[in-house]
Amino acid sequence: MDLGITGIHHVTSGASGAQEDVDFFTGAVGLRMIKQTVLFDGNKPIYHLYYGNKKAEIGSVMTTFPFRQAGFTGRKGSGQVKTTGLTVPKDAAAFWAERFKRLGFATGVVTERFGQKAAVFHHPAGLGFEVIEDASDPREGWTTADISTDVAVRGFHSVAMSVQDTEEMARFLTEGLGFVRVATDGAHTRYGIAGGGPGKTVELVAEPERKQGTWQFAQGLVHHMALAVPTETEQTAVKAHLEGLGYTDVSEIKDRNYFHSIYCRSPGGVLVEIATSDIGFAIDETKEHLGEKLLLPPWFEPRRAEIVAPLEPIVVPSYATRH
Ligand SMILES: [Fe+2]
């Protein structure tokens, strides 16, 4: 069954402080800053910060809401994305393990899963990440003075979700979205879409004893993972397909300015978004100058002063926006 889903689109998580988040993703992880905007839902002005690889490709886009100023907190648990995986080239895990240990974000240990080396690290807000070695990823990483192309992050590799019971989540992934089971390694089972591999893989982590985590916006929690479809045509088909299986809580299409989105709460608890790939980040600034300044969608522009005033001032390092 092919519904037109091409892989991961983005992952959206709750950070804590805004400058802390910018420093972590652009400085420590070496991602490109690709957009500074604000959260479109709710009434509290909150940044929405986007980071990605060299070409700001769909499938590399890590987005965050720095919730410290809103005071949103929650509990980690099952029904959430547990670890966000980023691809790095073969033999790069040791570089990252050493780097994250030196910077205080990890223990510096290289692990292995599904025959691939990985280094686990944590965002200052507590979000779990890992860099996973996969030589089959052709995407180009953003580079900085101390992160060269032979170690740079290519984009998302996979997203690991903690679920109490994998059976209904597996059914949702396969029958609902078109994923195919790939392999199991301990508590982790991989599912691939559009051929699988880097950026086209999710993992279910069976944790039957783990208490349900918070679903609300919170610092240190992944809010949702988004899968990509080319256009609203495929998106509408996915919505109709899910509704036809009885997953009737698929949202209406929401305008996220850089893509259009629908959302569905999955049986495992994770909020899954289906986002279009045909608009992109160059609609309100040029491709060469992505992420340099705060941009608001047209419908918020008349309220700019009121929205911007409470936001923590941030400085984005020039190496994160230009080479
Ligand atoms: Fe999203």
Side-chain angles (χ1 to χ4, degrees):
M1 178 191 56
D2 182 5
L3 293 164
I5 295 171
T6 57
I8 297 168
H9 188 290
H10 64 271
V11 175
T12 295
S13 300
S16 187
Q19 186 65 53
E20 172 187 89
D21 188 64
V22 169
D23 291 345
F24 177 76
F25 282 115
T26 66
V29 189
L31 298 182
R32 178 183 180 183
M33 185 96 219
I34 58 176
K35 195 64 69 180
Q36 300 180 40
T37 183
V38 295
L39 172 58
F40 297 171
D41 297 337
N43 300 315
K44 293 190 179 186
I46 299 289
Y47 280 112
H48 195 179
L49 305 175
Y50 290 65
Y51 310 90
N53 66 8
K54 186 172 183 180
K55 293 181 183 164
E57 288 171 287
I58 299 300
S60 77
V61 183
M62 180 70 223
T63 97
T64 59
F65 301 125
F67 282 131
R68 181 179 288 161
Q69 69 183 83
F72 293 162
T73 58
R75 184 184 65 240
K76 286 188 182 183
S78 67
Q80 294 175 343
V81 172
K82 184 177 188 183
T83 315
T84 303
L86 307 169
T87 313
V88 294
K90 189 149 175 27
D91 301 325
F95 165 87
W96 288 102
E98 184 282 325
R99 179 179 177 84
F100 289 129
K101 182 179 185 182
R102 178 164 42 84
L103 298 174
F105 298 122
T107 57
V109 175
V110 174
T111 60
E112 192 165 322
R113 193 164 75 249
F114 296 100
Q116 293 174 309
K117 289 195 172 130
V120 179
F121 61 105
H122 286 88
H123 181 284
L127 297 158
F129 283 90
E130 55 192 341
V131 288
I132 300 172
E133 288 186 5
D134 194 325
S136 72
D137 195 329
R139 297 173 290 179
E140 290 183 78
W142 184 254
T143 54
T144 67
D146 55 353
I147 300 171
S148 55
T149 188
D150 59 332
V151 294
V153 169
R154 272 30 182 177
F156 291 117
H157 181 276
S158 48
V159 170
M161 299 176 267
S162 170
V163 288
Q164 289 174 349
D165 185 324
T166 57
E167 191 176 339
E168 289 307 312
M169 190 58 180
R171 187 201 297 265
F172 177 78
L173 290 175
T174 56
E175 295 179 18
L177 299 174
F179 278 84
V180 175
R181 186 183 167 281
V182 179
T184 296
D185 183 347
H188 292 243
T189 300
R190 274 192 179 166
Y191 293 83
I193 195 132
K200 300 171 190 298
T201 300
V202 300
E203 292 183 7
L204 295 185
V205 189
E207 297 189 302
E209 306 301 325
R210 195 155 189 228
K211 187 175 161 71
Q212 168 73 54
T214 305
W215 280 1
Q216 287 174 249
F217 284 143
Q219 301 169 63
L221 300 183
V222 178
H223 183 253
H224 61 266
M225 60 160 260
L227 299 171
V229 286
T231 69
E232 266 192 28
T233 303
E234 294 82 7
Q235 185 177 54
T236 304
V238 172
K239 178 173 164 68
H241 175 73
L242 288 170
E243 288 171 347
L245 293 173
Y247 301 109
T248 44
D249 59 341
V250 183
S251 78
E252 78 280 19
I253 296 173
K254 294 175 192 281
D255 182 356
R256 297 320 196 182
N257 210 18
Y258 310 107
F259 40 84
H260 290 175
S261 302
I262 57 174
Y263 300 82
C264 183
R265 185 66 68 176
S266 68
V270 173
L271 183 61
V272 176
E273 171 182 348
I274 311 289
T276 58
S277 306
D278 57 344
I279 304 174
F281 301 104
I283 58 158
D284 53 2
E285 55 191 345
T286 64
K287 263 190 278 190
E288 294 73 29
H289 293 278
L290 296 179
E292 290 177 3
K293 55 184 188 294
L294 179 64
L295 296 169
L296 303 181
W299 59 92
F300 277 174
E301 204 50 65
R303 293 170 49 208
R304 175 174 273 268
E306 163 204 346
I307 288 168
V308 171
L311 297 175
E312 175 192 333
I314 54 173
V315 177
V316 175
S318 59
Y319 63 75
T321 56
R322 290 192 209 181
H323 266 144

